[in-house]
Amino acid sequence: QVQLVESGGGLVQAGGSLRLSCTASGRTFHTYTVGWFRQAPGKEREFVATIARSGSSLVDYADSAKGRFTISRDNAKNTVYLQMNILKPEDTAVYYCAGFQNASPIYYTPRRPDQYDYWGQGTQVTVSS
């Protein structure tokens, strides 16, 4: 079992940047696909970005994140990052990282929250206009 801890959230003005970190426990993190999701008040949790397990460069982004957000991983640090640039007020939400262990030879990057087994506690991102 892996534990995920997010950090890096905060208050930023529109047009600014933040880098979120998702740090995992355990020695098998490199076998995990990791995704970022967000949930704004009164809204459902939505997909933001995901990155396949180590060995692949496969990533996927929601349309709202393409061109502004970049997901990456540093397996030596057991950490996945979400670099967020050109932030907008509509990006305001609690951001969660989630993961599942992919032991298959196929790399894939699902978008549904129910496809992820482990979740962090979330970090608040607030973008002021």
Side-chain angles (χ1 to χ4, degrees):
Q1 186 171 351
V2 67
Q3 291 184 324
L4 305 175
V5 178
E6 303 96 335
S7 61
L11 174 64
V12 63
Q13 288 188 332
S17 298
L18 283 173
R19 188 178 77 161
L20 305 183
S21 299
C22 172
T23 301
S25 61
R27 294 178 291 178
T28 61
F29 182 63
H30 63 284
T31 66
Y32 281 71
T33 295
V34 178
W36 284 97
F37 296 80
R38 67 187 183 186
Q39 188 165 19
K43 295 188 176 182
E44 292 188 352
R45 191 168 298 189
E46 65 174 3
F47 167 75
V48 177
T50 186
I51 186 165
R53 64 177 172 86
S54 181
S56 167
S57 59
L58 186 63
V59 296
D60 189 24
Y61 296 95
D63 287 345
S64 59
K66 285 179 182 176
R68 299 189 300 128
F69 295 1
T70 302
I71 190 170
S72 61
R73 68 190 304 157
D74 184 339
N75 291 321
K77 296 183 178 180
N78 268 17
T79 300
V80 168
Y81 302 100
L82 184 67
Q83 177 67 44
M84 304 188 296
N85 299 326
I86 317 175
L87 283 161
K88 305 174 182 180
E90 51 263 44
D91 294 319
T92 295
V94 177
Y95 283 70
Y96 299 89
C97 72
F100 68 92
Q101 190 171 29
N102 180 14
S104 79
I106 301 172
Y107 299 101
Y108 58 106
T109 50
R111 294 187 169 200
R112 294 199 333 253
D114 63 2
Q115 293 173 293
Y116 291 77
D117 296 321
Y118 304 102
W119 290 81
Q121 82 289 350
T123 185
Q124 176 70 46
V125 171
T126 303
V127 184
S128 63
S129 57

